[in-house]
Amino acid sequence: MNKRQIIVSIITTVIVLLIGAGAFQALKGMKKSTVSDKAVAAEIKYVKAQAFPTENVDSEITIDGRLNAYEKITLSAEANGKLESIQKTWRQGSYFSKGDLLFQVSSSDEKLNIYAQRSSLLTAITQIMPDLKFDFPDAYEKWKSYLDNFEIERTTPKLPEVSTKQEKYYVAGKNIYNLYYAIKSAEDKLGNFQIYAPFSGVFLSVAAYPGSLVSPGTSLGMIMNTSRYEMQTPITMADFDLISIGQKVQLSADDLGTTYTGTISRVSKQIDQTTQSIPVYISVQGKGLRDGMYLNGTLKGNEIKDVTALPIEAIVGSNSVYMVQDSTIREKQIDIILRTDTQAIVKGINPTDLVIIKGLNSLSPGQKAAL
């Protein structure tokens, strides 16, 4: 291709490009725009909102738990011997009243030994009576009265009070005090041969029956007090400041349809590491209660001052609400003091704030709103 042909080819290409560009501009000018140049009207959300007053509120905490008997005691023998038959033979589930004789170990040998010791004391006092009559005439009558009322098969009475040091030394020299206190010690140990009910209750188990040989430490059974129970329930750290010992608790048993009034008796000093809650113990009494029964109810906590009670539906996320301000939806952070199934007790809401209480899922901050 010579030089002339190259120049002609370049000129032709430029002309074609110019014609194409002109045609594009002409077509572009013929097309109508679909975009309106008018201002877009903002969408208005119609919401339900209301103002809530600031007030003092009695806190209410939902609780539940199982009852445990306040007193469960394992009975053990304190003396050697054979269990004797008594008026009633106890079995698992047997009820008893406070003061009933539960177990009795044969004590005939111990009683005879005490009779012998009392006899020795009686003899020792009798032997000093002639000397008392002449050396301590003022003391003679009280010691004579003691002897007259002394019964070998009855509890040893307290020795007469001495009036002078000389009388005291004389009585001590005759071994009277040693004999007396040896007898009182034996009488005290004699009480170990009988076991009486410390409260009214029921036998949870019986491990020994009449005719069994027992020794100190032998298990006889386990008893439970049926007049007082305790329920353990967990309280969250957030609710801990709302309770105190002595508060009343309303409890109910769904199966029985009955209600009971309990009292917070103690609060644990330790936190359950698994649930991060604090065990609270509630004392309960009443007819129909059973060990292991499930109860639920409400605990009236301390009064919370200057708070707002909001419907639980008004809470957004963990600690916010939506409110209408200048016809616009705004988000406001709050401090939730207490939550229940129906409401939240919060701080941070002014009485003039219009809090949105319904349809929050379709809303977002910044949207225009109308009531």
Side-chain angles (χ1 to χ4, degrees):
M1 183 179 291
N2 56 34
K3 183 176 180 182
R4 182 178 178 180
Q5 290 175 326
I6 293 173
I7 294 174
V8 172
S9 176
I10 292 174
I11 293 173
T12 303
T13 302
V14 171
I15 292 172
V16 171
L17 291 174
L18 290 173
I19 293 172
F24 176 77
Q25 291 297 327
L27 292 173
K28 182 179 178 182
M30 294 173 62
K31 185 178 179 181
K32 284 189 175 181
S33 174
T34 59
V35 179
S36 174
D37 56 357
K38 294 182 179 179
V40 178
E43 181 183 2
I44 298 178
K45 294 285 187 177
Y46 289 91
V47 298
K48 182 176 182 179
Q50 69 180 75
F52 293 89
T54 299
E55 56 189 341
N56 297 336
V57 176
D58 290 329
S59 62
E60 191 173 274
I61 305 169
T62 301
I63 59 173
D64 57 28
R66 294 195 180 277
L67 289 180
N68 288 295
Y70 184 75
E71 292 178 284
K72 289 182 181 179
I73 298 177
T74 298
L75 301 176
S76 299
E78 296 183 77
N80 288 304
K82 181 189 294 185
L83 286 181
E84 294 182 339
S85 296
I86 55 178
Q87 186 175 6
K88 185 173 182 179
T89 301
W90 306 106
R91 293 288 187 271
Q92 181 178 351
S94 296
Y95 282 87
F96 54 84
S97 299
K98 183 177 180 179
D100 283 352
L101 178 62
L102 303 181
F103 295 98
Q104 179 167 306
V105 180
S106 177
S107 58
S108 55
D109 290 343
E110 284 68 22
K111 287 181 179 180
L112 292 175
N113 181 50
I114 291 176
Y115 293 165
Q117 292 181 66
R118 289 175 183 159
S119 178
S120 297
L121 176 62
L122 181 63
T123 299
I125 295 176
T126 302
Q127 290 175 348
I128 67 171
M129 293 304 292
D131 293 335
L132 288 175
K133 186 173 184 179
F134 290 101
D135 298 334
F136 306 96
D138 294 338
Y140 176 79
E141 289 299 328
K142 63 183 177 183
W143 284 95
K144 182 177 183 302
S145 176
Y146 183 83
L147 284 179
D148 292 341
N149 293 288
F150 194 96
E151 297 289 342
I152 290 179
E153 295 186 2
R154 295 175 59 185
T155 301
T156 306
K158 185 179 179 180
L159 291 175
E161 296 286 341
V162 294
S163 303
T164 63
K165 290 184 178 180
Q166 289 76 14
E167 180 187 355
K168 175 182 176 181
Y169 297 151
Y170 179 77
V171 173
K174 297 300 181 179
N175 206 35
I176 302 298
Y177 291 120
N178 185 53
L179 291 173
Y180 171 78
Y181 286 110
I183 294 171
K184 299 307 290 185
S185 175
E187 289 177 347
D188 184 65
K189 291 180 180 179
L190 192 62
N192 297 337
F193 288 80
Q194 296 87 30
I195 297 179
Y196 293 92
F199 46 70
S200 297
V202 63
F203 271 93
L204 298 178
S205 65
V206 179
Y209 298 94
S212 302
L213 292 174
V214 298
S215 58
T218 300
S219 177
L220 303 177
M222 178 179 287
I223 60 175
M224 179 184 78
N225 189 340
T226 55
S227 63
R228 184 179 177 186
Y229 294 87
E230 202 171 56
M231 185 182 86
Q232 178 183 330
T233 187
I235 297 295
T236 63
M237 291 292 295
D239 296 336
F240 179 68
D241 292 336
L242 305 177
I243 65 171
S244 60
I245 294 177
Q247 281 181 267
K248 299 300 180 182
V249 185
Q250 297 303 314
L251 300 169
S252 62
D254 294 337
D255 295 339
L256 300 179
T258 53
T259 59
Y260 305 93
T261 299
T263 305
I264 296 180
S265 57
R266 52 198 173 96
V267 179
S268 177
K269 297 296 183 180
Q270 293 182 319
I271 296 176
D272 188 318
Q273 296 184 2
T274 303
T275 61
Q276 287 298 297
S277 60
I278 301 172
V280 173
Y281 299 88
I282 300 170
S283 179
V284 191
Q285 299 181 14
K287 186 177 180 180
L289 295 175
R290 295 288 188 274
D291 189 57
M293 179 185 290
Y294 178 83
L295 296 179
N296 59 69
T298 55
L299 191 159
K300 299 287 186 181
N302 297 327
E303 185 180 58
I304 310 173
K305 297 183 180 296
D306 301 325
V307 293
T308 305
L310 298 179
I312 198 67
E313 297 84 2
I315 306 301
V316 179
S318 59
N319 61 342
S320 299
V321 294
Y322 285 161
M323 51 184 291
V324 178
Q325 186 178 35
D326 298 330
S327 300
T328 304
I329 297 175
R330 309 290 186 189
E331 183 175 2
K332 188 172 187 177
Q333 301 291 316
I334 57 173
D335 183 15
I336 299 179
I337 306 301
L338 179 66
R339 281 179 184 263
T340 68
D341 293 337
T342 59
Q343 66 178 4
I345 308 301
V346 307
K347 286 190 175 184
I349 298 294
N350 298 320
T352 56
D353 290 342
L354 292 175
V355 179
I356 301 175
I357 58 176
K358 284 191 176 181
L360 278 72
N361 292 335
S362 61
L363 305 179
S364 60
Q367 291 179 314
K368 292 296 180 179
L371 302 178

